[in-house]
């Protein structure tokens, strides 16, 4: 019995010595070593994420774990920096205030109506040069009493309603002292001729033939064609007139007859295209118009006014 107690005590002492002695190391494969290693708090290795999760985080399908807090902090830092920048600007404005800039309203100037080509192009020399090249008269003479009467008649008939150079559409002959005003008279005369064809048959044949025999009042194609039409009506040969014309050297239609005339009737618009240039004295400087031709043109214009009042 004593021997058994002795053996039991000796075994307990060995167990105590093995568990409490630091120098005693258990065998790696022993159960005690495995238990100790499992229970011991060793640093854990970082867990690797699968590729599918990394891809979803990269394209924004899922939020990054632990990234919300860092992003919030970065956003907060950005807002704070912007607030500090605004505070610095406010302090700078208080220390050095900018003067108030008042907007000056532009005075509205009334639009000046153009009454001549000089005001339109701003160069009188250029306008005069163009007139010389076209063979037109460079100096405008005063309107004759016949033209003034014709202008008043046109004005009463409403042919100057679209004349924007007339202030408040009031007739003022000073506005006709420019080439623009004279050209407007010619345009109104042409339109008047188209609107009153019935007058043509009552015009003086003597005055018409006198004007037709003289030739063309201008080198402009429209005026040349109208003059040739008159000569065709009175059976006047082209070479008879063109051989004596003062403008034949620069005319491209000399000795050329008018073809394709389907009627032998006299057209008032052609008469107006010829006589109005003699009435306004707007013929080329090289062309000297005899008094007989001027008188015939003035008498024809006077007849047009009288006949239009009765028809």
């Amino acid at each position: 019995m004593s021997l058994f107690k002795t053996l039991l005590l000796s075994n307990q002492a060995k167990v105590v010595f093995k568990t409490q002695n630091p120098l005693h190391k258990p065998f790696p494969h022993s159960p005690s070593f495995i238990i100790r290693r499992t229970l011991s708090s060793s640093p854990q290795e970082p867990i690797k994420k699968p590729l599918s999760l990394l891809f979803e985080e990269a394209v924004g399908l899922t939020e990054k774990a632990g990234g919300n807090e860092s992003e919030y902090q970065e956003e907060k830092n950005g807002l704070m920096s912007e607030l500090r920048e605004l505070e610095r600007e406010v302090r700078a404005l208080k220390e050095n205030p900018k003067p108030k800039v008042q907007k000056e309203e532009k005075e509205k100037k009334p639009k000046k109506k153009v009454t001549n080509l000089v005001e339109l192009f701003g160069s009188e020399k250029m306008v005069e040069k163009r007139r010389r090249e076209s063979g037109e008269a460079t100096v405008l003479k005063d309107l004759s009493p016949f033209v003034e009467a014709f202008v008043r008649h046109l004005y009463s008939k409403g042919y100057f309603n679209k004349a924007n150079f007339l202030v408040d559409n009031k007739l003022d002959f000073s506005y006709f002292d420019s080439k623009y005003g004279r050209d407007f008279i010619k345009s109104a005369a042409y339109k008047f001729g188209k609107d009153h064809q019935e007058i043509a048959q009552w015009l003086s044949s003597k005055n018409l033939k006198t004007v037709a025999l003289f030739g063309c009042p201008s080198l402009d194609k429209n005026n040349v064609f109208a003059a040739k039409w008159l000569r065709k009506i009175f059976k006047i040969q082209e070479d008879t007139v063109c051989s004596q014309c003062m403008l034949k050297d620069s005319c491209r239609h000399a000795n050329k007859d008018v073809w394709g005339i389907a009627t032998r009737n006299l057209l008032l618009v052609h008469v107006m295209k010829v006589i109005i240039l003699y009435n306004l004295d707007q013929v080329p400087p090289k062309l000297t118009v005899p008094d007989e031709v001027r008188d015939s043109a003035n008498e024809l214009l006077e007849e047009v006014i009288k006949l239009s009042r009765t028809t």
Side-chain angles (χ1 to χ4, degrees):
M1 186 67 180
S2 59
L3 181 59
F4 176 76
K5 289 182 178 180
T6 302
L7 293 173
L8 181 60
L9 290 173
S10 61
N11 291 333
Q12 291 178 353
K14 289 180 181 180
V15 172
V16 172
F17 175 77
K18 290 179 180 180
T19 56
Q20 295 182 356
N21 188 4
L23 298 177
H24 177 75
K25 294 182 179 180
F27 189 74
H29 297 285
S30 63
S32 61
F33 177 81
I34 295 173
I35 295 173
R36 283 187 181 183
R37 186 173 181 181
T38 305
L39 297 177
S40 62
S41 59
S42 60
Q44 297 180 356
E45 296 179 359
I47 302 173
K48 295 183 179 179
K49 298 180 182 180
L51 292 176
S52 60
L53 181 59
L54 291 174
F55 175 77
E56 292 178 357
E57 292 179 353
V59 299
L61 295 177
T62 57
E63 296 183 356
K64 295 182 180 180
N68 293 336
E69 185 176 355
S70 61
E71 291 177 359
Y72 171 76
Q73 190 66 26
E74 290 178 0
E75 184 177 358
K76 183 178 179 182
N77 294 337
L79 292 174
M80 292 299 295
S81 62
E82 291 179 2
L83 288 174
R84 294 191 191 97
E85 184 67 24
L86 289 174
E87 289 176 358
R88 284 194 291 268
E89 292 180 1
V90 171
R91 292 194 200 100
L93 289 174
K94 288 182 178 180
E95 294 175 358
N96 300 317
K98 295 182 179 180
K100 295 182 180 180
V101 180
Q102 297 180 352
K103 295 182 178 180
E104 299 180 356
E105 296 182 356
K106 296 181 179 180
E107 298 180 357
K108 294 183 178 180
K109 298 182 180 180
K111 294 183 179 180
K112 186 178 180 182
K113 295 183 178 180
V114 179
T115 59
N116 52 52
L117 294 178
V118 176
E119 295 180 4
L120 181 62
F121 295 101
S123 175
E124 186 173 359
K125 293 182 179 180
M126 184 183 298
V127 175
E128 294 297 328
K129 182 180 178 182
R130 291 179 179 177
R131 288 178 180 175
R132 288 193 298 269
E133 292 176 352
S134 61
E136 297 178 356
T138 57
V139 179
L140 297 177
K141 297 181 180 180
D142 295 336
L143 296 178
S144 65
F146 299 98
V147 176
E148 288 185 358
F150 183 59
V151 169
R152 289 192 182 94
H153 183 67
L154 292 176
Y155 178 78
S156 64
K157 295 295 184 179
Y159 285 92
F160 287 93
N161 290 340
K162 296 183 179 180
N164 55 4
F165 57 88
L166 295 179
V167 179
D168 297 330
N169 201 27
K170 294 180 179 180
L171 185 60
D172 187 353
F173 283 95
S174 63
Y175 289 105
F176 298 107
D177 294 335
S178 63
K179 188 176 183 300
Y180 181 82
R182 300 293 174 92
D183 290 343
F184 200 94
I185 294 175
K186 289 191 296 184
S187 299
Y190 300 161
K191 191 174 187 307
F192 179 86
K194 293 179 180 179
D195 297 339
H196 298 81
Q197 170 57 29
E198 68 279 0
I199 296 176
Q201 60 180 335
W202 304 107
L203 294 177
S204 171
S205 298
K206 178 184 177 181
N207 290 330
L208 287 172
K209 190 172 183 178
T210 301
V211 171
L213 281 170
F214 176 68
C216 303
S218 171
L219 293 177
D220 184 78
K221 183 178 179 180
N222 294 326
N223 302 114
V224 171
F225 182 82
K228 287 180 178 292
W229 184 289
L230 292 179
R231 293 196 287 271
K232 192 76 173 179
I233 295 294
F234 289 98
K235 299 180 180 180
I236 300 173
Q237 297 296 324
E238 285 295 311
D239 56 351
T240 304
V241 177
C242 294
S243 61
Q244 301 176 359
C245 182
M246 304 172 189
L247 305 176
K248 61 182 178 181
D249 295 335
S250 53
C251 182
R252 296 180 298 176
H253 308 284
N255 299 318
K256 293 182 180 180
D257 202 352
V258 179
W259 298 100
I261 299 179
T263 178
R264 307 295 298 178
N265 295 332
L266 179 67
L267 298 181
L268 182 62
V269 62
H270 290 160
V271 176
M272 299 307 298
K273 285 182 180 181
V274 175
I275 67 172
I276 195 63
L277 295 182
Y278 297 135
N279 301 138
L280 293 172
D281 203 6
Q282 280 192 293
V283 296
K286 293 181 180 181
L287 186 62
T288 302
V289 183
D291 293 338
E292 183 183 6
V293 177
R294 291 184 184 276
D295 293 340
S296 296
N298 290 332
E299 290 177 7
L300 286 171
L301 187 62
E302 191 175 18
E303 291 177 6
V304 167
I305 297 173
K306 290 179 180 180
L307 291 170
S308 64
R309 289 173 179 171
T310 58
T311 55

